[in-house]
Amino acid sequence: MARMRRRPGGRPGRRTAPGAPGGAPAPRAAPGRAGLILAQVLVVALFAVLGARLWYLQVPMGEHFARLAAADRTQELVVPATRGQILDQAGRPLVRNRTALVVSADWHALQAMPDQGADVLARVAEVVGEPVEEIRARTRLCGPEVSRPCWPGSPYQPVTLADDVDARAALQILERREDFPGISAQQLAVRDYPHGELAAQALGYLQPVTQEELEAREELRKQFSGVDQVGRDGLEATYDAELRGTAGVRTLAVNNRGEVTGVVDEQRPEPGMHLVSTIDQRVQKTVEDALRRGIDRARKAGHPASSAAGVVMDVRTGGLVAMASLPSYDPSVWQGGIDQETFDELLSEKAGEPLNSRVMQGQYPPASTFKVSSLAAGVRGGKPLRGTYSCPSSISVGNRSFENYEGSSHGSLSLHRAIVVSCNTVFYQMAYDEWRSDERKKKPDDVFARTAEDFGFGAPTGIDLPHEAAGRIPTREWKRELWEATKEESCERAESGYPGVAEDDPGRASYLKKVAEENCTDGYRWRAGDAVNFAIGQGDVLVTPLQLVRAYAAVANGGTLWEPRVGKALVSADGERVEEIEPQKAGDLEVDGEVVSYLQKALTAVPKQGTASGAFGGFPQDQVSVAGKTGSGSALDSDSTAWFASYAPADDPDLAVVVVVPKGGTGGETAAPIVREIYEGVYGFTRDEQDAGGKSVEGGDPDLPGGEPRRGELPQVRPDGTVDLAAGE
């Protein structure tokens, strides 16, 4: 092995690269050019990305971030719009607005307090002068198990503690905020009902927005101001969106301490539109006053009447000039929270369910007023329009006897005379003959039911108000469905009977047991008794006063069925924009024109020579001729339901009027006099009447409309928001 040679100094010698001259050392390797270039590219790319990002943030997104920055210094406040008024057809206010001082609480702020706001609510009660228990109760959220008063709206709204508060009380709350945390006092627009109970069910009422409504209705969420209310019934509900208007937005400047320093921007609210209704306030008052007097007369005559309904329809358009239901109520009871006693009374059957409109929700057997449909059905089924018919006191159908009212007999007569004297047996016989014919057919004609449906019975009319009842036209199919639903109960009663009823009335209990036995075995069958009862509007037939007035309006105008309307036009708050609500035709009577003319002549004779002649004795028929029909709907162990359905003038019909008084006696003694009084008010007639003491007094009411019913122009809304009554007022 060769040894390494050392150089002087003792260090080993350095090796030389092969071929290096003179043994010089090998040079170091230089850094790679590829790596240097890559580094330079990365640096340039980073600067490019950074530059692009800066440009993007400053140019395209500059305005966006400017708004975000401004948002840190501003606050948006939703400003509620003023709700539109509801006017009568002449422009008189039925519902308007007024300003009230309202004390409210932040529900969440109260819940966050250690005592859930008990102390502060006690102080509020002392200031506003109301019992502390009521103030506390109003902060509870309403629910199935929570009694009134309670808060029916969203917990995110200010909870109303007291309204119509004295200004000094409100000022104490505003000046001593440290003593009233979570409490506010402010002026708010509230609904005002200048005529109290007048047309209450038609107008409806307002209630705070619920959380469910906020979640379901996007238009409410977008404009939620915290004090919003929505229509809960009547016109307030149907035309809620138009009446409510569009909320505004006020952008406030605030400093870092949350103090408002100014207004940055403001989008003013757009007031709601005024709703001009078809109701005539004076005719409405006439109807309600006449109904009250009619109920009083019925009770003095020994009938247990406690409710009534009256409706006046324009036969040429379907517009409702008046719709009255008694008992009524004052819609202002909803403001500020309703107590449990009042709430229960509004729904109480004992109190007459004043919240319900008997005009469109009350369902009653129409009795002889239904004969306009039955006459048309009989002729449609083949009976001669101008034939002669027998009117005995009764007819036998199966093992039952069906009688005329009070067993009267009228011999041979025409269908015209059968309407005038209201002969039941003529219509019984026509229906019985039709039933026997149908029984022999595989597919029965059911002409009486089909004709009733053509008159608009058994289905909603389409009125622009919520919660309308459909009435009932019983058919073979309906009878079978009812039997299937009640068969089990009928069979149980067929076996056990009615022991509770038998203690007081054995005869009635025996009758009910036989009915149950019959219904148990073959209650699905459409029997002859069903058919003959149907023909005079009895049995299972039910109609609403609204359906009946529309049917009589169709007879009056020659055969047109209208969709009833209460809304006539929407007018902007400055009067610049008008949206008329056009009448809607629902269809035509499927009745021959000759039959309609025949009915018109027969109905015109009823107040002159027939069952309503006593009520209309002395009425100026030469000036305004009234056509109509009485009805007395009987019920088991109950007084009759009194009806009068009519229209006038008979020779040039303008208005149809229907009145019903449940448990009021007969139509001629109770309902017809009320209708006469309505026509006297509408057309401005007066008469001498006997008061309760028998003293002769001058009739007539100075507040009644008088003169011809007006179809004037729409009321004019001036630019300042005031209303000019329609022409002719």
Side-chain angles (χ1 to χ4, degrees):
M1 183 175 180
R3 293 175 181 261
M4 182 181 292
R5 295 178 63 187
R6 295 180 178 271
R7 299 180 65 184
R11 291 185 179 179
R14 184 178 296 172
R15 290 189 179 183
T16 59
R28 293 184 179 180
R33 289 182 175 274
L36 180 61
I37 293 171
L38 180 60
Q40 291 173 339
V41 170
L42 287 174
V43 171
V44 172
L46 287 172
F47 274 104
V49 171
L50 180 60
R53 182 63 178 167
L54 289 173
W55 175 84
Y56 172 75
L57 294 175
Q58 294 179 24
V59 181
M61 297 296 289
E63 186 177 346
H64 169 71
F65 285 108
R67 287 197 303 267
L68 290 180
D72 291 337
R73 303 189 301 276
T74 62
Q75 180 178 343
E76 288 189 345
L77 178 67
V78 177
V79 182
T82 301
R83 195 171 179 90
Q85 299 181 63
I86 300 178
L87 311 171
D88 85 340
Q89 59 175 276
R92 293 177 287 256
L94 299 173
V95 184
R96 60 192 178 191
N97 301 307
R98 63 180 175 84
T99 302
L101 278 168
V102 178
V103 175
S104 307
D106 182 325
W107 187 84
H108 290 94
L110 294 180
Q111 296 304 306
M113 297 177 187
D115 60 354
Q116 294 187 315
D119 285 346
V120 68
L121 292 177
R123 289 193 289 273
V124 170
E126 184 178 356
V127 169
V128 301
E130 292 197 22
V132 65
E133 295 80 12
E134 279 203 28
I135 295 294
R136 287 175 180 169
R138 288 170 185 166
T139 65
R140 301 174 303 155
L141 301 181
C142 290
E145 306 300 325
V146 179
S147 62
R148 266 74 177 177
C150 57
W151 180 242
S154 167
Y156 294 97
Q157 285 181 283
V159 176
T160 299
L161 301 179
D163 58 2
D164 283 328
V165 174
D166 182 82
R168 288 174 295 181
L171 190 60
Q172 288 187 56
I173 292 172
L174 292 173
E175 289 183 341
R176 296 161 46 199
R177 290 190 178 276
E178 67 281 359
D179 293 334
F180 298 96
I183 307 298
S184 61
Q186 57 184 319
Q187 282 193 333
L188 294 176
V190 298
R191 282 313 227 186
D192 181 47
Y193 303 90
H195 307 291
E197 296 184 355
L198 194 79
Q201 297 91 350
L203 298 175
Y205 58 94
L206 301 181
Q207 282 283 269
V209 182
T210 65
Q211 189 62 31
E212 291 76 13
E213 284 171 322
L214 282 176
E215 294 170 358
R217 296 174 59 178
E218 184 179 358
E219 81 278 7
L220 289 179
R221 287 198 307 275
K222 286 182 177 179
Q223 300 186 29
F224 186 57
S225 67
V227 293
D228 296 304
Q229 293 191 320
V230 294
R232 280 282 179 269
D233 199 7
L235 294 172
E236 292 277 27
T238 301
Y239 296 97
D240 180 67
E242 294 84 356
L243 288 165
R244 192 171 60 247
T246 305
V249 178
R250 183 177 299 145
T251 305
L252 305 174
V254 296
N255 58 25
N256 57 3
R257 294 188 298 274
E259 299 169 338
V260 176
T261 59
V263 178
V264 176
D265 186 32
E266 183 169 10
Q267 298 177 17
R268 293 186 178 277
E270 182 179 337
M273 300 185 80
H274 300 312
L275 174 64
V276 180
S277 72
T278 58
I279 292 173
D280 186 306
Q281 177 257 321
R282 295 185 297 177
V283 175
Q284 179 74 29
K285 182 179 184 300
T286 299
V287 175
E288 294 193 12
D289 289 347
L291 290 177
R292 289 189 183 93
R293 286 190 283 266
I295 292 173
D296 288 343
R297 288 194 297 267
R299 294 183 70 84
K300 289 174 183 176
H303 304 294
S306 60
S307 63
V311 55
V312 181
M313 174 181 279
D314 186 326
V315 304
R316 301 172 190 175
T317 65
L320 296 181
V321 181
M323 51 185 306
S325 178
L326 297 183
S328 188
Y329 76 102
D330 189 339
S332 63
V333 299
W334 295 99
Q335 294 175 3
I338 189 170
D339 61 75
Q340 189 64 41
E341 182 180 355
T342 304
F343 182 77
D344 291 342
E345 187 173 346
L346 290 178
L347 302 175
S348 166
E349 186 174 343
K350 184 178 180 181
E353 299 175 325
L355 195 62
N356 292 339
S357 169
R358 285 176 165 77
V359 171
M360 63 179 193
Q361 294 168 321
Q363 302 179 93
Y364 313 95
S368 292
T369 62
F370 196 68
K371 289 174 182 174
V372 292
S373 172
S374 295
L375 185 149
V379 174
R380 191 176 186 176
K383 298 294 183 182
L385 178 63
R386 303 187 186 279
T388 299
Y389 297 84
S390 175
C391 180
S393 60
S394 66
I395 69 168
S396 295
V397 176
N399 58 356
R400 291 182 60 190
S401 177
F402 291 84
E403 300 179 349
N404 273 333
Y405 179 70
E406 294 185 341
S408 59
S409 171
H410 296 279
S412 296
L413 41 64
S414 64
L415 290 180
H416 175 104
R417 187 66 180 165
I419 289 287
V420 174
V421 300
S422 201
C423 176
N424 288 342
T425 51
V426 167
F427 294 94
Y428 288 150
Q429 191 65 55
M430 285 198 300
Y432 183 44
D433 292 345
E434 187 68 29
W435 176 83
R436 287 191 301 174
S437 174
D438 278 347
E439 284 293 288
R440 295 191 292 268
K441 297 175 182 177
K442 184 175 291 187
K443 187 176 180 181
D445 290 335
D446 287 333
V447 66
F448 276 76
R450 286 192 293 112
T451 303
E453 290 168 352
D454 289 342
F455 270 82
F457 299 120
T461 64
I463 187 175
D464 55 343
L465 292 175
H467 316 309
E468 180 189 5
R472 182 173 65 212
I473 293 300
T475 61
R476 296 169 190 270
E477 293 76 14
W478 172 85
K479 191 79 183 292
R480 178 172 286 276
E481 291 173 1
L482 178 66
W483 176 72
E484 290 174 350
T486 60
K487 179 182 177 182
E488 185 176 340
E489 180 183 352
S490 296
C491 292
E492 288 179 2
R493 285 296 187 181
E495 184 175 342
S496 64
Y498 292 81
V501 177
E503 293 178 4
D504 299 322
D505 191 344
R508 181 166 178 250
S510 176
Y511 168 76
L512 291 175
K513 189 173 187 295
K514 288 180 180 178
V515 171
E517 291 170 352
E518 191 176 76
N519 287 337
C520 175
T521 55
D522 62 349
Y524 61 88
R525 289 185 55 216
W526 183 254
R527 299 187 180 89
D530 296 321
V532 297
N533 270 327
F534 185 104
I536 64 160
Q538 294 278 178
D540 294 307
V541 180
L542 295 176
V543 306
T544 68
L546 182 62
Q547 290 172 329
L548 193 61
V549 78
R550 182 173 74 153
Y552 272 71
V555 172
N557 65 35
T560 300
L561 285 168
W562 293 102
E563 284 190 3
R565 285 287 177 270
V566 189
K568 186 175 183 180
L570 291 158
V571 184
S572 62
D574 58 4
E576 290 293 321
R577 186 158 52 98
V578 177
E579 299 176 8
E580 293 198 30
I581 301 169
E582 297 294 334
Q584 296 294 316
K585 183 177 177 179
D588 294 304
L589 291 181
E590 296 295 325
V591 178
D592 188 89
E594 185 183 4
V595 175
V596 173
S597 297
Y598 192 91
L599 281 170
Q600 290 172 343
K601 291 176 183 177
L603 294 173
T604 302
V606 171
K608 297 176 181 177
Q609 307 153 6
T611 53
S613 59
F616 280 86
F619 185 85
Q621 296 272 7
D622 56 333
Q623 298 181 54
V624 175
S625 178
V626 176
K629 184 73 190 76
T630 57
S632 306
S634 62
L636 191 64
D637 295 338
S638 177
D639 273 64
S640 298
T641 296
W643 286 96
F644 191 68
S646 68
Y647 59 85
D651 54 348
D652 184 18
D654 189 87
L655 299 176
V657 179
V658 164
V659 161
V660 61
V661 184
K663 301 181 181 180
T666 66
E669 71 170 323
T670 301
I674 297 173
V675 173
R676 172 181 175 154
E677 192 172 334
I678 292 170
Y679 281 126
E680 287 174 340
V682 170
Y683 292 100
F685 299 136
T686 60
R687 58 174 166 151
D688 289 338
E689 295 181 338
Q690 294 294 315
D691 69 5
K695 179 182 177 183
S696 181
V697 295
E698 181 65 23
D701 185 336
D703 293 327
L704 296 183
E708 290 292 323
R710 179 189 47 73
R711 305 177 191 278
E713 302 171 0
L714 288 172
Q716 299 297 308
V717 178
R718 305 184 185 96
D720 63 356
T722 57
V723 181
D724 184 17
L725 295 185
E729 288 298 314

